[in-house]
Amino acid sequence: MHKMQTAVDQYKKFLIKHAPIVGSVESLVDSVTYVLPGRFAHAEVVAEGVHSLVAIVAAVNDALLSKHMGVSAQSQHNRYTHALLSLHSVTRVAAYAKAACEFTQVFAEMMARDCVGTRRKWGVIAMLESVKLLCRIILFHAAKKRMLLVTQIPERDFDMATVQETCADSQNIESMRTLGAHSGKSMPDLSVFPKKGDHLTDADVTAFLNSKATSVSEALRPMDLVSKLSGADVVAEWLHMLRPLVYLLAMRKYGSQSWKPWMMSLCMEVSSLGIHSSSIRNFKFLERDELQRRMWLLMYYLLRDPFYSMFVKHRLNRFCESMSKKPLISLASGLLADYIPLWENYYFLVNP
């Protein structure tokens, strides 16, 4: 255990020192994976495997670095997720298990299709959806019925090129704090305040006060950045959590070309959004951002059968054919054409 902690500490130091290089390598490798599909046999499997690996490494790096960026440098999302993860070890396991499933689900589906066949891959998909649902339920109860965000782990909300500077500034700020002799609480050292007899201009006073001012969100406790749900809003969140597994089970029962699973899923999603949107409470920034993201995800229904096969597929193929002979545009249409078979054959690509 001691060796493991030593290795983690050494990696943290390496990461802080070489953060710009690490960030550039992550971006470069991830960008390459988007142009690999269709280039050689099983290229999509290789691309998705590398993409999953990069996502996991980036998540680990973000978790390590966000702790050293200082509270003032953290986004509202990271403040909230750090507070949520600190509630219990089970919460941390659920959050990272859910994230790991989301990072690797497409790759797992591809491997299952190649190894056990198209029909039996649905068992792997059902298992992943069940694990994600269990993690959502654990997180929902751990957060005391707060809205689930897109991810419950820290995100990269900082520039990798400035990590070393920011970490150094955070350490300097912490060094200017002291512990109260009686309260034991951390507070600014008196040396940072103006001393009696110092000649201060109005500009100096204004600058000092502005540096200490906080916004409403900064004044809130991290867990208060997302409101507790009650009544119909709780039902709406349960509809959102259950929808993916209900859709999958309905699709396996009625078939992918039946309108019943498509309509059931859409009704559950729209009902959830409708209930949340009609709520009279004031939405906070993270909640508004999450609801907007969920509304954008409705676009995936255009790529799900039977709607896709009946209304989108032929138009999309004609568009790619018509653009294939035009300079520059043909590059984008060719890339789009390479992804069309993937959308048609892999569940998780249109059901993230």
Side-chain angles (χ1 to χ4, degrees):
M1 196 69 182
H2 177 70
K3 290 182 178 179
M4 177 72 73
Q5 187 59 46
T6 303
V8 171
D9 292 339
Q10 289 177 346
Y11 181 67
K12 282 182 186 177
K13 292 177 182 177
F14 169 83
L15 193 58
I16 292 171
K17 186 176 180 180
H18 302 285
I21 298 174
V22 173
S24 298
V25 172
E26 287 176 358
S27 299
L28 178 62
V29 174
D30 198 41
S31 298
V32 170
T33 63
Y34 288 100
V35 297
L36 282 181
R39 299 295 177 267
F40 52 87
H42 302 293
E44 67 276 5
V45 180
V46 174
E48 197 57 44
V50 174
H51 178 73
S52 300
L53 181 61
V54 170
I56 291 171
V57 172
V60 172
N61 291 342
D62 294 345
L64 293 174
L65 289 175
S66 61
K67 296 177 182 178
H68 296 273
M69 298 304 289
V71 176
S72 60
Q74 288 182 4
S75 65
Q76 291 187 38
H77 178 274
N78 281 4
R79 287 181 60 207
Y80 174 75
T81 52
H82 276 306
L84 180 62
L85 295 181
S86 66
L87 293 177
H88 199 278
S89 59
V90 175
T91 310
R92 287 195 297 275
V93 171
Y96 280 101
K98 175 176 173 288
C101 288
E102 291 168 346
F103 292 152
T104 60
Q105 60 190 11
V106 178
F107 179 63
E109 181 184 355
M110 289 179 173
M111 291 299 294
R113 182 181 178 182
D114 288 348
C115 296
V116 299
T118 303
R119 292 179 62 85
R120 297 181 66 182
K121 76 170 186 178
W122 292 104
V124 175
I125 294 172
M127 181 186 68
L128 287 170
E129 288 289 14
S130 300
V131 170
K132 289 195 294 182
L133 175 59
L134 177 61
C135 293
R136 290 190 190 102
I137 293 172
I138 292 172
L139 291 165
F140 186 56
H141 283 284
K144 297 182 179 178
K145 298 182 180 179
R146 288 176 168 85
M147 182 182 289
L148 292 176
L149 305 183
V150 57
T151 178
Q152 278 72 40
I153 63 174
E155 292 182 324
R156 183 166 298 175
D157 58 349
F158 48 83
D159 184 0
M160 292 289 277
T162 61
V163 165
Q164 195 168 8
E165 268 179 48
T166 309
C167 287
D169 291 342
S170 298
Q171 289 174 356
N172 289 337
I173 291 171
E174 287 300 317
S175 67
M176 291 188 292
R177 300 182 69 85
T178 185
L179 290 176
H182 300 288
S183 66
K185 293 182 178 180
S186 176
M187 60 188 70
D189 193 277
L190 294 178
S191 62
V192 303
F193 294 98
K195 297 180 178 60
K196 185 177 180 180
D198 289 349
H199 179 68
L200 299 174
T201 64
D202 290 341
D204 293 330
V205 174
T206 302
F208 177 78
L209 292 175
N210 286 338
S211 68
K212 302 301 177 185
T214 59
S215 64
V216 175
S217 62
E218 289 174 338
L220 290 174
R221 293 183 303 173
M223 289 302 294
D224 290 336
L225 292 170
V226 179
S227 302
K228 292 181 181 180
L229 302 179
S230 60
D233 286 324
V234 175
V235 176
E237 202 62 16
W238 271 103
L239 286 173
H240 173 72
M241 290 191 293
L242 292 171
R243 184 208 62 79
L245 190 58
V246 170
Y247 172 64
L248 176 63
L249 295 176
M251 191 170 64
R252 298 312 301 151
K253 180 178 181 179
Y254 298 108
S256 60
Q257 295 303 316
S258 171
W259 281 99
K260 289 182 180 179
W262 193 90
M263 289 299 300
M264 287 171 62
S265 177
L266 181 61
C267 287
M268 290 179 73
E269 197 71 80
V270 171
S271 298
S272 175
L273 288 169
I275 294 171
H276 277 311
S277 300
S278 62
S279 177
I280 60 173
R281 64 192 178 87
N282 293 323
F283 290 105
K284 293 174 181 176
F285 171 77
L286 291 178
E287 295 168 332
R288 289 196 304 271
D289 191 56
E290 175 61 19
L291 287 177
Q292 186 177 25
R293 184 193 70 85
R294 292 182 188 181
M295 288 181 182
W296 277 109
L297 287 180
L298 292 176
M299 298 293 290
Y300 275 106
Y301 282 91
L302 302 178
L303 299 176
R304 294 172 187 162
D305 282 330
F307 189 94
Y308 172 76
S309 296
M310 293 184 67
F311 301 107
V312 178
K313 182 177 180 178
H314 300 300
R315 290 177 174 83
L316 199 56
N317 286 329
R318 283 202 302 268
F319 170 79
C320 290
E321 289 174 8
S322 63
M323 296 294 107
S324 62
K325 296 181 181 179
K326 296 184 179 181
L328 297 180
I329 299 178
S330 62
L331 296 174
S333 64
L335 189 62
L336 179 62
D338 290 335
Y339 272 90
I340 290 176
L342 302 181
W343 295 335
E344 295 173 355
N345 294 314
Y346 292 108
Y347 170 86
F348 280 121
L349 281 177
V350 292
N351 294 275

